Amino acid sequence: MGFIAFLKTQFVVHLLIGFVFVVSGLIINFIQLCTLVLWPINKQFYRRVNCRLAYSLWSQLVMLLEWWSGTECTLFSDEATVNTFGKEHVIIILNHNFEIDFLCGWTMTERFGVLGSSKVLAKRELLYVPLIGWTWYFLEIVFCKRKWEEDRDTVIEGLKRLADYPEYMWFLLYCEGTRFTETKHRISMEVAESKGLPKLKYHLLPRTKGFTTAVQCLRGTVSAVYDVTLNFRGNKNPSLLGILYGKKYEADMCVRRFPLEDIPQDEKEAANWLHKLYQEKDALQEMYNQEGIFPGQQFKPPRRPWTLLNFIFWATILLSPLFTFGFGVFASGSPLLILAFLGLVGAASFGVRRLIGVTEIEKGSSYGNQEFKKKE
């Protein structure tokens, strides 16, 4: 094991990375709060500023994937589709099977220049997660309780508000509503059988309300739907902790572009279109599991240096005073100060671990275990 590889496994190094992310995130959130005064003066300028502030935070996570772990992402698509990336508003449909599926999506948005302006239909619980939810609030992310009767007006209002967004955005939808687990899959397929829908092997039954509403509200704004099917070589099941330890993964993403005009305007027909899409995604996953490859031409968009430079910038600003402070505490010889400092380190470690826990499948929500039994 080389020295760099050794450093990547050390808890102290992880703690320093977490310190940079958390403190820079709090600084960014404070700046975002200050930018609220811009909204009534120039809404579009407010949005552009917040896209760049969000980029400065999210790109630190992308840096971990691209530069720290060296994870490689390969696209399987066609040249005409790849040439549209970063040049239009789109809706993204991504399977929700892995802890870092969002991070693989983010690395693609970064490479095509839309990381800061990327959007998602997110569960409302995330709004209260420090850094993540707070940053999303200033980005006008659409939050939902995943109860359509309560969400309808909020979701429609949030989507329509994005109609004049000044930067190209990729709006992510996890149509399955929750991460794949065997228990959720079993219940989901019971619902599929009761509704006379074809069963899926690698996905949960898609929730159609969010998709059909997004398509209806964003017509005239988005140009297409990108269907993204993600898997990892070697049957790996990567985690954010694995990334933090420097483990390298190889992600493959099959991307298909569907012009929005090809999607039916009628809600029921659009829902049927989505169900058919998931049957095709299931077939793609079956092909990948058997042959280890998706159909289509392979593309490897090069990683850009900005994520690494952004992290170096924040680390330089924040770690220097931290080291100076820590040295001063231990040099003082005061047991009280030293205990207080160690307590602060312990609290920081706990906080970072809690943030990582948000991505872990086994700590995911119970949504889907019972909700699939109810009528959509």
Side-chain angles (χ1 to χ4, degrees), residues 16 20 32 58 64 71 73 75 78 94 163 169 179 183 199 204 214 220 240 253 277 294 298 305 321 333-334 361:
L16 292 175
V20 172
Q32 287 183 302
W58 301 148
L64 289 177
T71 292
C73 296
L75 297 178
D78 59 85
L94 177 63
M169 63 176 177
R179 277 200 179 92
T183 299
K199 291 187 177 181
L204 305 180
L240 192 55
M253 288 179 275
L277 181 77
F294 285 123
Q298 295 187 34
S334 169
I361 293 177

Side-chain angles (χ1 to χ4, degrees), residues 176 180 185-186 188-189 192 197-206 274-283:
E176 295 162 89
F180 184 101
H185 179 253
R186 176 179 54 79
S188 176
M189 292 307 98
L197 294 169
K199 291 187 177 181
L200 303 173
K201 185 176 180 180
Y202 302 101
H203 301 85
L204 305 180
L205 193 67
L274 183 65
H275 283 299
K276 182 176 181 293
L277 181 77
Y278 267 80
Q279 293 164 31
E280 295 172 0
K281 289 172 75 69
D282 226 46

Side-chain angles (χ1 to χ4, degrees), residues 188-219:
S188 176
M189 292 307 98
E190 290 174 0
V191 174
E193 185 175 11
S194 69
K195 291 185 175 182
L197 294 169
K199 291 187 177 181
L200 303 173
K201 185 176 180 180
Y202 302 101
H203 301 85
L204 305 180
L205 193 67
R207 303 296 184 112
T208 60
K209 290 292 185 183
F211 172 74
T212 57
T213 302
V215 168
Q216 290 171 357
C217 292
L218 293 176
R219 280 191 186 275

Side-chain angles (χ1 to χ4, degrees), residues 211-230:
F211 172 74
T212 57
T213 302
V215 168
Q216 290 171 357
C217 292
L218 293 176
R219 280 191 186 275
T221 300
V222 304
S223 304
V225 170
Y226 293 170
D227 170 53
V228 183
T229 305
L230 169 69

Side-chain angles (χ1 to χ4, degrees), residues 85 100 115 131 214 289 345:
F85 289 174
I100 65 166
L115 174 59
L131 308 183
N289 284 340
V345 170

Side-chain angles (χ1 to χ4, degrees), residues 208-265:
T208 60
K209 290 292 185 183
F211 172 74
T212 57
T213 302
V215 168
Q216 290 171 357
C217 292
L218 293 176
R219 280 191 186 275
T221 300
V222 304
S223 304
V225 170
Y226 293 170
D227 170 53
V228 183
T229 305
L230 169 69
N231 213 322
F232 289 86
R233 297 181 191 178
N235 199 29
K236 297 288 182 63
N237 193 12
S239 66
L240 192 55
L241 271 178
I243 295 295
L244 198 57
Y245 275 87
K247 292 182 180 179
K248 181 178 179 178
Y249 302 103
E250 294 178 292
D252 289 331
M253 288 179 275
C254 180
V255 184
R256 300 181 296 162
R257 183 184 185 274
F258 298 91
L260 203 68
E261 55 266 24
D262 291 353
I263 300 173
Q265 295 192 28

